[in-house]
Amino acid sequence: MKNYLSEGNVIDVPAPAGGAKSGDFALIGSLFGCYVTSADEGELVGLERNGKYDVPFTGNAVAVGAKLYWKAADKAFTGAATDNTLVGIAVSASADSKVEIVLVPTVV
């Protein structure tokens, strides 16, 4: 296909105010992912939209297969849907404020 650009797993986005830090998660409009590298404010930085991650977790315990949400105000993952954005599925039970997540495509 002459119009094909890439798989789209990593999208280059401008780093937000204060910059981007490798390993941090971000919701930018309808794009959610993990910064691949660090970058200063305004510089392009890769945002990985797929994959499995070990992340901090807040709220009640969740089981394997539970939907996980991004609580933008706290920059945290949670099992609570209200006022949060669906971003992934738990692939481990939450334990010690941690959970393994696989990201799902985000469409808001």
Side-chain angles (χ1 to χ4, degrees), residues 13-98:
V13 297
K21 183 178 173 189
S22 177
D24 282 355
F25 290 87
L27 179 63
I28 303 167
S30 294
L31 289 172
F32 182 81
C34 184
Y35 290 122
V36 176
T37 60
S38 297
D40 291 330
E41 180 178 340
E43 291 182 341
L44 288 181
V45 61
L47 187 71
E48 173 65 57
R49 300 177 45 247
N50 297 303
K52 179 181 169 189
Y53 300 85
D54 184 29
V55 298
F57 178 80
T58 62
N60 295 332
V62 295
V64 172
K67 294 178 182 177
L68 295 177
Y69 301 84
W70 180 247
K71 187 172 185 175
D74 297 340
K75 294 189 176 188
F77 294 91
T78 181
T82 304
D83 297 325
N84 299 315
T85 304
L86 176 64
V87 295
I89 305 294
V91 292
S92 73
S94 59
D96 299 325
S97 302
K98 294 279 218 177

